[in-house]
Amino acid sequence: MEGKATSLANLLQGCIDKKAHLAGKLIHAFILRSNGLLSNTFLSNRLVELYSKCGNIGYADRVFDKMPHRDVYSWNAILGGYCKFGSLGDAQELFLKLPERNTVSWNTLISALVRHGQEETALGVYDTMILEGFMPTRFTLASVFSACGALLDVEHGRRCHGLAIKIGLEENIYVGNAILSMYAKCGLIRDAIRVFGDMAEPNEVTFTAIMGGLAQTDRVLEALEMFRMMCRKGVRIDSVSLSSILGVCAKGGEGGGEYGLDDQSDGFPCNVNGQQIHGHTIKLGFEGDLHLNNSLLDMYAKNGDLNNAEKVFANLPKVSNVSWNIMIAGYGQISETQKALEYLQRMRSCCFEPDEVTYIHMLAACVKSGDIKSGRQMFDNISCPNVSSWNAILSGYFQSGDHKEAIELFREMQFQHVQPDRTTLAVALSSCAAMGLLQAGKEIHAASRKAAFQTDVYVASGLLNMYSKCGRTETAKHIFHNMLELDIVCWNSMIAGLSLNSQDKEAFTFFKQMRHDEMRPTQFTYATVLSCCAKLSSSFQGKQVHVQMTKDGYMSDLFVGSALIDMYCKCGDVDEARKFFDMMPSKNTVTWNEMIHGYAQNGRGDEAVLLYRDMIGSSQKPDCITFVAVLTACSHSGLVDAGIEIFNSMEQEHGVVPVLDHYTCIIDALGRAGRFHEAEVLIDEMPYKDDPVIWEVLLSSCRVYANVGLAKRAADELFRLTPNNSAPYVLLGNIYSSLGRWDEARDVRDQMSDKQVIKDPGYSWIEYDKGKQTGMEDDNFMVIDDEVEVASNKKSFYAA
């Protein structure tokens, strides 16, 4: 009988090894018919193990329940069955009932929990195992390190690493690879490299883990060097290693030229590294490996080499949804939305059903190319969009300027109970800021508090920007001062917000505090603060900023340089602005525009025109703003013929179509020179004759030359276009008054009264030792805020 049992046990072991379910059931039937064999614990254990391995947990349960005698192996076998079947609740319940546990019992449960994504529970079971005095094995530690890596729980991982060293398992290749992988996943690449260096004989798993960790922390060149070392050492290269290094090459493509994936020894571009590895895959006979082929596709696509990606795709022996998705994402990355759509159609025609990843890639492609309408269709095809999908469509609406739809979509996201992340909140807040929607911004602020993002610096800068643009600088300052940590973006948002609300002195105070806190300004900081100095007409403070930006090395920055030129010009120090302009190593259109505009502002039209001609001579292409600046200079300095010549050259020589601002400048120049016939001809020919600005400019010029007829025409046009505007009534009335035509002047005032048009009061200010006082002019007197009433001569006031 004993020999028979041994033979049957060997047969069952063969069935277990081959997962031969049917053959095992036949042996089970034979055992049932044989007297005395059913009570054999050894055979019953084999049967439980067989059914567990074959996934037939029902049969395994029956055999286990009918066993007259169970040993620890019996309990471990049925526990393994539950774990393999995925019944982790039953497995944990059974584990608590085990009459006896050994290391296998603990390992079985821990590994199953890790495999099914219950890493925290697995670590809890492991801690209990240690407390009960069980010594972990290499299998235990491998599972535990995997759990620590998944949870990014470095502290737990370090404790386990210490225990591994204590019991002498750190040199085990299985444990060593798990430790290395844990540190790599946690981003602790120095620790991972140290573990790698201590390993006597690293294998392909070791190299794969370290390459992945290096790529994850953007150390792409070092990851490539690891692969070369792997080849030099003769370590076996498998499909997983090749997939990993192809991922490294793809990582280089994602970053463009940032990572400099060139092999510094031979100058090959990063794509060549991928092509060399492609050659390895063919040489090693992995052409049929679908996962590896998809990695190849991904590498070529992310490097923007869609021609080679097409070739790989066309020669795939087998494709999957992943293959199609990679091609769609690749074309989306280079903004070829039409090609991405073609692949989507081909995918469907080949009987592949697009999944959520497909639609997410299509959504990203549409958003990147600016096709927000198609992007929304793709978004609507996603059954349960995740936060990344919501962020993509929200960003699309924001970038296209449809802020209202972005905010509505954010509200819909809330109704769908999708938890926003920092990107979601920042985009939604930016849309509120763009539209000045304070109430909607407050709702998003509340959502950020609910999601515990109110102290996130990324979200905080969005809140500062939103409240500032809605005129709530006090709320913005409250948020700013309650931040636990401030980065440069928060400081910039606060300074810019104060400047936007004309609180330039306070903005400058914040700038000084920022310097005091040793926060290094960026070019945006300097540009904003220089703008504050310009608005305050404070060249003294502007010069201080100039000195600081020189120390910080921003002298050659075009953005800051343009702001500095603007500051000096607005403070009246055009010569200092020109001195800096001439010192700049490189100039762009904005820089030239600022200097030309500076001359225009300060009445130095001849120099503005000369500088414009220098700009043309330097092959710098003028833009719309350039012509506004130089035409303004011509207008203010009486350079009418030069202005007409430049105006006529705009479209013919430089391809810039004149818009309202350009017509306004040239009509102003003609009006100031008294060349009204030319001005009228131009107005009759231009496409902006129904814009009130043109007629106001012309009416102002008529007042200087007492051109009553044209003034009456201009005023009539303004009465039609802006019936509630008091300016044409006042200007026309002043023209009649200056000529002594009192009856007509009275008629204008009567019209104004009949139509209930109210003249807006004018304001002026004076500065004295104690500060600034604001004055308000009305029809008969000017009242100074300091309760002083002063009689006013209107003519001298207007002249001032």
Side-chain angles (χ1 to χ4, degrees):
M1 182 66 73
E2 191 67 32
K4 194 174 185 182
T6 303
S7 300
L8 289 169
N10 291 335
L11 288 172
L12 283 171
Q13 186 60 54
C15 294
I16 292 167
D17 294 339
K18 296 176 182 177
K19 292 186 180 178
H21 186 231
L22 184 58
K25 285 176 78 174
L26 291 171
I27 296 168
H28 187 186
F30 179 79
I31 292 169
L32 288 171
R33 288 197 301 270
S34 302
N35 291 328
L37 288 178
L38 196 58
S39 59
N40 188 299
T41 303
F42 185 63
L43 281 177
S44 295
N45 287 344
R46 283 284 187 270
L47 286 169
V48 171
E49 189 179 359
L50 166 73
Y51 288 127
S52 296
K53 286 279 177 72
C54 293
N56 193 339
I57 195 65
Y59 271 42
D61 251 337
R62 284 183 210 168
V63 173
F64 181 79
D65 289 340
K66 291 179 179 179
M67 287 178 70
H69 306 289
R70 299 171 187 144
D71 57 16
V72 68
Y73 191 91
S74 314
W75 289 94
N76 285 342
I78 194 63
L79 178 66
Y82 283 138
C83 289
K84 185 175 178 62
F85 194 68
S87 302
L88 295 185
D90 293 333
Q92 287 174 271
E93 192 177 326
L94 180 69
F95 183 81
L96 294 172
K97 294 177 182 176
L98 289 180
E100 182 186 351
R101 295 175 191 146
N102 60 10
T103 308
V104 175
S105 317
W106 292 97
N107 287 350
T108 302
L109 183 59
I110 291 169
S111 63
L113 289 166
V114 173
R115 279 199 312 275
H116 289 85
Q118 296 188 30
E119 289 89 359
E120 285 191 29
T121 308
L123 291 181
V125 173
Y126 167 75
D127 289 339
T128 307
M129 174 185 177
I130 301 301
L131 285 171
E132 291 190 11
F134 286 91
M135 191 65 69
T137 66
R138 61 193 180 103
F139 301 110
T140 324
L141 290 172
S143 296
V144 169
F145 285 125
S146 176
C148 293
L151 295 170
L152 305 181
D153 189 347
V154 181
E155 186 181 344
H156 214 138
R158 287 196 191 282
R159 287 203 306 270
C160 295
H161 188 180
L163 180 59
I165 294 170
K166 185 178 179 180
I167 61 177
L169 279 177
E170 85 282 3
E171 294 181 4
N172 179 278
I173 189 69
Y174 196 57
V175 174
N177 287 341
I179 295 170
L180 190 156
S181 183
M182 181 271 295
Y183 283 129
K185 284 178 183 175
C186 293
L188 299 174
I189 197 62
R190 287 185 182 178
D191 295 272
I193 291 170
R194 193 177 298 118
V195 172
F196 178 84
D198 290 340
M199 296 180 76
E201 293 184 14
N203 62 9
E204 67 274 15
V205 178
T206 319
F207 277 98
T208 301
I210 194 67
M211 287 188 296
L214 288 165
Q216 183 182 314
T217 51
D218 296 336
R219 296 167 71 161
V220 178
L221 280 172
E222 291 172 70
L224 286 167
E225 187 52 45
M226 279 292 176
F227 182 72
R228 294 189 182 101
M229 185 194 295
M230 185 179 182
C231 295
R232 286 196 300 269
K233 284 181 173 288
V235 176
R236 186 177 75 89
I237 297 172
D238 59 10
S239 61
V240 179
S241 307
L242 290 168
S243 292
S244 179
I245 195 62
L246 284 168
V248 172
C249 296
K251 182 81 174 174
E254 282 179 322
E258 181 183 352
Y259 300 117
L261 242 186
D262 296 2
D263 186 339
Q264 294 172 349
S265 62
D266 55 25
F268 288 158
C270 67
N271 203 34
V272 173
N273 288 304
Q275 288 173 335
Q276 288 173 342
I277 291 156
H278 189 174
H280 268 292
T281 67
I282 296 168
K283 183 179 177 182
L284 296 171
F286 289 118
E287 303 101 308
D289 189 295
L290 180 58
H291 177 70
L292 184 54
N293 280 322
N294 285 339
S295 297
L296 270 171
L297 273 181
D298 189 53
M299 180 275 296
Y300 281 124
K302 282 181 178 166
N303 279 306
D305 187 355
L306 272 299
N307 289 330
N308 270 323
E310 289 269 12
K311 290 174 186 174
V312 172
F313 187 85
N315 290 305
L316 286 178
K318 184 181 178 183
V319 295
S320 65
N321 269 42
V322 174
S323 317
W324 292 102
N325 290 345
I326 289 168
M327 293 304 295
I328 290 168
Y331 278 112
Q333 182 181 302
I334 59 173
S335 300
E336 288 196 26
T337 313
Q338 197 55 45
K339 285 289 289 183
L341 282 166
E342 284 176 22
Y343 263 88
L344 178 62
Q345 290 163 358
R346 282 176 59 191
M347 180 182 184
R348 284 174 172 148
S349 67
C350 292
C351 300
F352 283 88
E353 191 61 35
D355 54 21
E356 291 202 8
V357 175
T358 315
Y359 289 120
I360 289 168
H361 286 324
M362 278 306 312
L363 168 60
C366 295
V367 167
K368 189 165 185 179
S369 64
D371 185 1
I372 194 64
K373 186 178 178 182
S374 298
R376 183 57 186 267
Q377 290 173 353
M378 297 302 159
F379 178 79
D380 291 338
N381 276 318
I382 303 172
S383 56
C384 293
N386 61 17
V387 69
S388 299
S389 307
W390 285 98
N391 288 348
I393 192 68
L394 281 168
S395 298
Y397 280 119
F398 174 76
Q399 289 163 18
S400 65
D402 193 347
H403 303 297
K404 184 179 178 183
E405 188 61 32
I407 294 164
E408 287 300 319
L409 204 60
F410 176 80
R411 284 178 176 149
E412 178 62 27
M413 182 181 178
Q414 301 298 292
F415 291 136
Q416 297 289 337
H417 304 292
V418 179
Q419 183 81 350
D421 64 8
R422 62 206 300 257
T423 303
T424 323
L425 295 163
V427 171
L429 286 166
S430 297
S431 287
C432 290
M435 295 186 73
L437 297 177
L438 179 62
Q439 188 55 43
K442 285 181 175 180
E443 290 171 10
I444 296 166
H445 188 178
S448 73
R449 292 176 68 87
K450 186 178 178 181
F453 279 109
Q454 74 274 15
T455 56
D456 181 275
V457 289
Y458 192 56
V459 175
S461 62
L463 285 167
L464 294 173
N465 185 40
M466 183 275 295
Y467 280 117
S468 297
K469 286 190 176 173
C470 292
R472 299 298 182 92
T473 53
E474 290 303 315
T475 308
K477 283 190 280 187
H478 178 76
I479 292 168
F480 181 87
H481 290 306
N482 280 283
M483 286 292 294
L484 300 174
E485 182 184 350
L486 292 166
D487 67 354
I488 187 62
V489 179
C490 291
W491 282 100
N492 285 348
S493 297
M494 195 66 244
I495 293 168
L498 290 166
S499 175
L500 182 69
N501 287 278
S502 301
Q503 298 177 34
D504 298 292
K505 284 187 176 179
E506 193 166 1
F508 198 82
T509 302
F510 265 81
F511 172 71
K512 289 194 287 188
Q513 182 61 46
M514 174 185 168
R515 296 283 301 183
H516 182 265
D517 290 352
E518 298 183 347
M519 182 67 71
R520 190 173 188 272
T522 63
Q523 64 264 45
F524 181 82
T525 321
Y526 278 119
T528 306
V529 173
L530 286 167
S531 173
C532 292
C533 297
K535 287 190 283 181
L536 291 166
S537 299
S538 177
S539 61
F540 174 74
Q541 288 177 323
K543 286 176 180 177
Q544 285 183 319
V545 177
H546 186 173
V547 171
Q548 288 173 359
M549 64 174 252
T550 304
K551 287 180 181 176
D552 284 346
Y554 283 106
M555 286 293 287
S556 59
D557 187 276
L558 292 171
F559 187 54
V560 177
S562 300
L564 186 66
I565 291 167
D566 178 60
M567 183 277 295
Y568 277 124
C569 289
K570 284 180 177 170
C571 291
D573 196 347
V574 191
D575 293 329
E576 190 64 35
R578 182 58 189 266
K579 191 188 299 180
F580 179 76
F581 176 85
D582 291 336
M583 287 170 58
M584 292 182 73
S586 61
K587 304 173 182 71
N588 63 5
T589 305
V590 176
T591 319
W592 286 94
N593 291 352
E594 289 292 0
M595 195 63 241
I596 294 167
H597 188 238
Y599 278 130
Q601 284 176 308
N602 288 274
R604 293 163 67 165
D606 289 315
E607 288 164 280
V609 172
L610 283 173
L611 190 61
Y612 164 76
R613 301 202 189 285
D614 287 344
M615 180 182 181
I616 302 301
S618 71
S619 301
Q620 185 73 51
K621 188 173 175 59
D623 62 8
C624 183
I625 307 299
T626 314
F627 289 107
V628 171
V630 71
L631 291 174
T632 300
C634 292
S635 171
H636 290 182
S637 300
L639 305 172
V640 187
D641 292 330
I644 290 170
E645 181 191 340
I646 292 168
F647 180 81
N648 290 334
S649 73
M650 283 177 63
E651 192 166 5
Q652 296 171 4
E653 296 178 22
H654 305 292
V656 178
V657 179
V659 294
L660 175 63
D661 288 342
H662 304 116
Y663 282 105
T664 303
C665 290
I666 203 68
I667 287 166
D668 185 43
L670 291 166
R672 284 171 186 259
R675 294 162 64 166
F676 293 111
H677 176 69
E678 294 170 72
E680 279 194 276
V681 170
L682 184 60
I683 287 174
D684 290 335
E685 291 176 351
M686 73 179 192
Y688 301 101
K689 59 175 67 69
D690 282 340
D691 194 286
V693 175
I694 293 288
W695 296 107
E696 279 190 23
V697 167
L698 193 60
L699 183 54
S700 297
S701 299
C702 291
R703 179 189 170 201
V704 177
Y705 288 92
N707 188 334
V708 179
L710 186 55
K712 184 70 171 66
R713 180 191 171 189
D716 287 340
E717 291 288 350
L718 286 166
F719 296 156
R720 176 178 67 85
L721 295 168
T722 56
N724 295 318
N725 182 10
S726 62
Y729 293 97
V730 173
L731 287 168
L732 185 60
N734 284 344
I735 291 172
Y736 285 136
S737 298
S738 65
L739 295 173
R741 296 167 65 166
W742 304 110
D743 291 338
E744 283 104 323
R746 192 178 297 107
D747 287 342
V748 172
R749 289 189 70 87
D750 289 344
Q751 284 182 52
M752 196 173 172
S753 179
D754 292 342
K755 293 179 181 178
Q756 297 182 328
V757 177
I758 300 170
K759 180 183 178 295
D760 295 327
Y763 291 87
S764 65
W765 59 271
I766 58 174
E767 193 164 15
Y768 66 107
D769 289 344
K770 292 181 182 179
K772 187 171 72 175
Q773 287 184 324
T774 303
M776 179 182 74
E777 178 271 334
D778 108 359
D779 283 343
N780 300 308
F781 56 87
M782 180 171 71
V783 181
I784 303 293
D785 283 352
D786 205 19
E787 298 182 355
V788 180
E789 204 170 284
V790 182
S792 169
N793 181 318
K794 280 182 65 173
K795 288 184 182 178
S796 63
F797 182 80
Y798 285 142

